[in-house]
Amino acid sequence: MTNRSSNRDAFETRAIHAGQDPDPLTGAVVTPIYTASTFVQDGIGENRGFMYSRSANPTRLVLEACLADLEGAATAIACPTGLSAASTILELLESGAHVIAHHDVYGGIYRLLELVRSRSAGLDVTFVNFSDPDAVKAAIRPDTAMLWFETPSNPLLEVVDIAFVVEQARKVGALTVCDNTFCSPYCQRPLEMGVDIVMHSATKFLNGHSDLLAGVAAVSPNTDPAVAEKLRFLQNSTGAVMDPIACSTLLRSLKTLPLRMERHAGNAMAIAEFLDQNKERLGITRLTYPGLASHPQHELAKRQMTSFGAMITMQLTGGQARANKVAQSLRLFAYAVSLGGVESLVQHPASMTHAILPPERREMLGVTVNLLRLSVGIEHVDDLIADLETGLSGVGAE
Ligand SMILES: *Cc1c(COP(=O)(O)O)cnc(C)c1O
């Protein structure tokens, strides 16, 4: 039931039904929320599959089955946050292991690797640009244990050649981890391209309504089953479990994931084209969206993404002062971190999501002070375009 094949239901159908049957007790069409922490045992060594909710909870198991199905995974674990999922994945490694991570991974992942696990687990982390094949090749060592990347990356939307990274990792038997948060399994299916583990901040597109923190780790059916088993063991051992009410909220959100993603991506494409065609007039020096032919890796994005997603990055004339004014003057794009919700957001990576990076690192990555990142929501595209037109043309596009 977890492998995609021609006779399987489509993604839209599985988003609604995967892992879910009407409740055998009452016929409820929606999965019940089991808040019980403990379950009555029928005798010594006898129970109905549940003992204590950290080890297994009926609501969480349904969500995990649905997530695994949508991602094409053998197993998925539902964690309280994206970082908790990331943290649990890193527990697969032995202390002192060599990890290669994409140079512009999400700020919180950078912090976890560089400021926490380097110290507490002795992880030896090399940061390289994964969209440069030679850099990846040069960084791999015979003892490399894990390659960790995001594609498209944040905030510059660099596209990583997933098949190439997988091929390099396999030469030394390293695990590959792809943070698929920016795409969701609707836009990109890394496990089908040979990646071992997909992680998500389900806080973003998977939940999509900015009212939940949640994380997911999903293991490929083609990866040694011992990895999935170990991840489940670690989820229980470290207590990285999503609570049942959050599980139910996320399960409901998944039902509209395909609808939302289709609208997100359609809006983003129309907005990117509008901004691109009016770059000079609107004072935009650089516009980045993987769906635009002008994106340096557009061909690669077309090959490996089923849809280009909803994130757009733009660099403006007038430096930080104008970037700030534009961000504040937008009416529908709320000035806030995070992404993937039904409402549109705008943020300033240099002072918000990427403030954790040392200034010279931000400079090196191109996270400049005139850069704004848009998370395009599912409002009517005409309203969003009008908002951007007013905001950008109203604030001195010199
Ligand atoms: C938000 C985010 C995370 C962290 O997830 P939380 O749910 O905030 O813990 C990790 N990776 C990416 C790409 C993100 O956007």
Side-chain angles (χ1 to χ4, degrees):
M1 154 101 174
T2 52
N3 274 307
R4 259 187 144 199
S5 64
S6 55
N7 59 4
R8 293 195 61 206
D9 292 326
F11 190 86
E12 288 77 357
T13 308
R14 292 187 283 128
I16 292 166
H17 296 291
Q20 296 157 72
D21 291 316
D23 179 38
L25 203 61
T26 63
V29 294
V30 168
T31 303
I33 304 173
Y34 289 91
T35 56
S37 58
T38 188
F39 299 81
V40 170
Q41 303 296 292
D42 297 326
I44 293 177
E46 281 176 49
N47 62 49
R48 294 165 236 178
F50 301 97
M51 280 176 70
Y52 186 62
S53 268
R54 173 162 36 70
S55 338
N57 171 280
T59 312
R60 195 173 78 235
L61 285 189
V62 171
L63 170 68
E64 289 175 337
C66 183
L67 288 166
D69 185 279
L70 294 181
E71 202 67 62
T75 299
I77 60 167
C79 304
T81 62
L83 279 176
S84 151
S87 185
T88 309
I89 293 168
L90 290 175
E91 296 281 5
L92 288 167
L93 300 169
E94 301 305 314
S95 67
H98 181 234
V99 177
I100 307 176
H102 189 36
H103 68 170
D104 66 354
V105 282
Y106 175 76
I109 301 276
Y110 168 81
R111 178 173 54 202
L112 176 63
L113 289 167
E114 186 71 5
L115 302 181
V116 181
R117 293 305 173 90
S118 298
R119 174 185 56 77
S120 66
L123 292 188
D124 175 8
V125 188
T126 309
F127 290 95
V128 303
N129 182 358
F130 270 61
S131 54
D132 173 0
D134 292 334
V136 176
K137 263 190 176 164
I140 291 190
R141 310 193 316 223
D143 65 339
T144 300
M146 186 175 275
L147 279 77
W148 189 297
F149 63 99
E150 276 170 42
T151 178
S153 70
N154 177 24
L156 290 164
L157 307 172
E158 290 170 347
V159 181
V160 173
D161 185 338
I162 298 177
F164 173 81
V165 171
V166 166
E167 190 189 318
Q168 300 310 309
R170 282 189 179 157
K171 287 184 188 164
V172 294
L175 288 171
T176 42
V177 181
C178 178
D179 183 338
N180 207 23
T181 299
F182 270 36
C183 291
S184 88
Y186 181 84
C187 298
Q188 182 167 272
R189 314 193 53 77
L191 298 184
E192 289 172 7
M193 288 175 259
V195 165
D196 294 301
I197 301 172
V198 156
M199 73 140 283
H200 282 280
S201 168
T203 310
K204 317 294 168 55
F205 289 104
L206 289 183
N207 184 59
H209 293 72
S210 307
D211 57 1
L212 189 74
L213 290 171
V216 179
V219 186
S220 167
N222 302 316
T223 297
D224 179 354
V227 174
E229 239 170 77
K230 195 168 168 188
L231 198 66
R232 278 223 164 272
F233 167 83
L234 289 167
Q235 179 192 31
N236 185 35
S237 303
T238 65
V241 293
M242 197 186 294
D243 86 83
I245 296 172
C247 289
S248 171
T249 303
L250 182 53
L251 205 46
R252 181 173 67 170
S253 296
L254 289 177
K255 292 179 194 288
T256 57
L257 177 68
L259 275 177
R260 286 185 284 111
M261 292 314 296
E262 200 182 326
R263 175 64 71 88
H264 275 298
N267 281 357
M269 191 70 217
I271 288 172
E273 280 172 347
F274 164 77
L275 295 174
D276 196 38
Q277 284 154 13
N278 296 279
K279 255 166 96 176
E280 253 167 68
R281 185 172 65 79
L282 298 177
I284 300 168
T285 51
R286 184 174 157 200
L287 183 75
T288 314
Y289 181 65
L292 288 177
S294 60
H295 189 290
Q297 295 147 310
H298 177 60
E299 289 307 313
L300 173 59
K302 265 203 314 210
R303 271 209 309 282
Q304 71 182 22
M305 297 174 78
T306 42
S307 163
F308 301 114
M311 305 305 294
I312 298 175
T313 299
M314 53 184 184
Q315 275 156 320
L316 305 182
T317 57
Q320 171 155 323
R322 179 162 176 260
N324 188 40
K325 276 192 210 143
V326 167
Q328 307 313 321
S329 72
L330 295 173
R331 182 175 67 90
L332 293 172
F333 286 82
Y335 184 59
V337 295
S338 198
L339 58 122
V342 292
E343 60 286 300
S344 295
L345 300 177
V346 57
Q347 70 110 356
H348 181 246
S351 67
M352 296 171 100
T353 49
H354 289 62
I356 180 73
L357 303 186
E360 59 286 359
R361 218 183 137 70
R362 280 202 299 271
E363 192 66 27
M364 186 265 288
L365 295 174
V367 184
T368 50
V369 294
N370 64 339
L371 185 147
L372 292 178
R373 189 191 77 187
L374 304 177
S375 171
V376 177
I378 65 170
E379 299 95 337
H380 197 289
V381 70
D382 293 349
D383 294 333
L384 296 178
I385 288 178
D387 193 25
L388 289 163
E389 164 76 43
T390 308
L392 286 159
S393 62
V395 185
E398 65 265 40

